[in-house]
Amino acid sequence: MYIAGIDSGSTSTDAIIIDENANIIGRSIVATGIGATQSADKALQIALEDAHLSKDQLTNVVTTGYGRENIGKNTDSVTEITCHAKGAHYLHPETKTIIDIGGQDSKVIRIDEQGNVENFVMNDKCAAGTGRFLDAQARALNMSLEELSKTGLNWKNDITISSMCTMFAESEVISLVADNVAISDIIHGLNKSVASKTASLVHRIKGEPEFIMTGGVAQNAGVVQCLEQALNAKIYVDDSAQLCGAIGAALIGLEEI
């Protein structure tokens, strides 16, 4: 048996293929285009090629994420909260609190020892503290997100970005650049602001170790370090952190069979 999980996010669409033993045998991450269906089809095809399978060999397909309801009529869809809980428990069974920072929202999920959701909180009202926030600042600095992550680790002076609004923060960044403040210090200030916003969500639901961080921003080592400092705890980041939702969807698809 082969099961596919597809996570249709605002920034990326992720796909995972697992076998009947829940082993990951195919994966893909593609940029979400103008249509959820087209992006999902592309992500699934790449994951199938990675697994050396064809679509007709799939036993089940489960979707999650923002665009889940728009991906085909013959697929099951599950909420992203449930899928992230399943995926995080799979990646790190000791997890008690999931910190997921995606392109458009951030959420913190507390789970039990079996990976079931106990409580969660979301920041989905604005881009503050999300991947979009960092993406906007990277553009203002004429850098890629990868460059932003690496450069932010080399800071020397601890500065604070006072505004959490994406547009106001961008203006603040431009002013700091004009004042010849080191780019690495500016980026550290941005990382701290994201970590502060996220830590407040963790405290709202009384999140506790062990922590796992998922979503695309988990690849930003500077944000992870700042968040660890804010929480005074180690945060586990798996190589498949960005695929957590898709993994959870695939695992749910396996359970349905």
Side-chain angles (χ1 to χ4, degrees), residues 199-241:
S200 68
L201 294 178
V202 174
H203 296 318
R204 278 175 58 185
I205 63 165
K206 298 180 172 58
E208 59 181 352
E210 289 192 6
F211 294 101
I212 186 174
M213 189 166 171
T214 64
V217 179
Q219 309 303 317
N220 187 315
V223 172
V224 175
Q225 284 187 3
C226 288
L227 192 49
E228 287 180 330
Q229 185 173 9
L231 298 173
N232 193 29
K234 182 69 178 175
I235 298 175
Y236 177 79
V237 180
D238 192 270
D239 291 341
S240 299

Side-chain angles (χ1 to χ4, degrees), residues 66 104-106 122-128 130 197 204:
Y66 279 103
Q104 192 163 292
D105 69 16
S106 55
M122 294 184 68
N123 166 42
D124 57 359
K125 302 301 182 185
C126 71
T130 70
K197 183 79 173 177
R204 278 175 58 185

Side-chain angles (χ1 to χ4, degrees), residues 6-9 11-15 28-33 35-36 39-41 43 71:
I6 304 173
D7 184 1
S8 176
T11 303
S12 71
T13 299
D14 316 321
S28 72
I29 299 174
V30 303
T32 298
S39 300
D41 287 344
I71 303 175

Side-chain angles (χ1 to χ4, degrees), residues 38-56:
Q38 294 93 320
S39 300
D41 287 344
K42 181 179 179 180
L44 179 58
Q45 185 56 45
I46 294 173
L48 285 168
E49 291 172 1
D50 188 39
H52 305 290
L53 297 173
S54 61
K55 192 172 183 179
D56 59 11

Side-chain angles (χ1 to χ4, degrees), residues 13 18 21 33 36 43 60 71 77 92-93 121-122 125 137 146-147 159 168 183 189 192 200 229 234 240 250 252:
T13 299
I18 62 173
N21 296 314
N60 198 5
I71 303 175
S77 62
H92 192 53
V121 63
M122 294 184 68
K125 302 301 182 185
Q137 309 317 319
E146 184 178 357
E147 290 171 328
I159 69 167
F168 290 152
I183 299 299
K192 276 202 315 176
S200 68
Q229 185 173 9
K234 182 69 178 175
S240 299
I252 290 170

Side-chain angles (χ1 to χ4, degrees), residues 164-185:
M164 277 305 300
C165 170
T166 301
M167 293 186 65
F168 290 152
E170 187 173 336
S171 296
E172 194 170 346
V173 165
I174 292 170
S175 295
L176 289 169
V177 171
D179 290 338
N180 292 318
V181 176
I183 299 299
S184 57
D185 294 343

Side-chain angles (χ1 to χ4, degrees), residues 10 17 27 61 66 81 95 104 143 199 211 215 219 234 247:
S10 61
I17 310 292
R27 64 184 68 203
V61 179
Y66 279 103
I81 300 297
T95 297
Q104 192 163 292
M143 303 175 76
F211 294 101
Q219 309 303 317
K234 182 69 178 175
I247 292 171

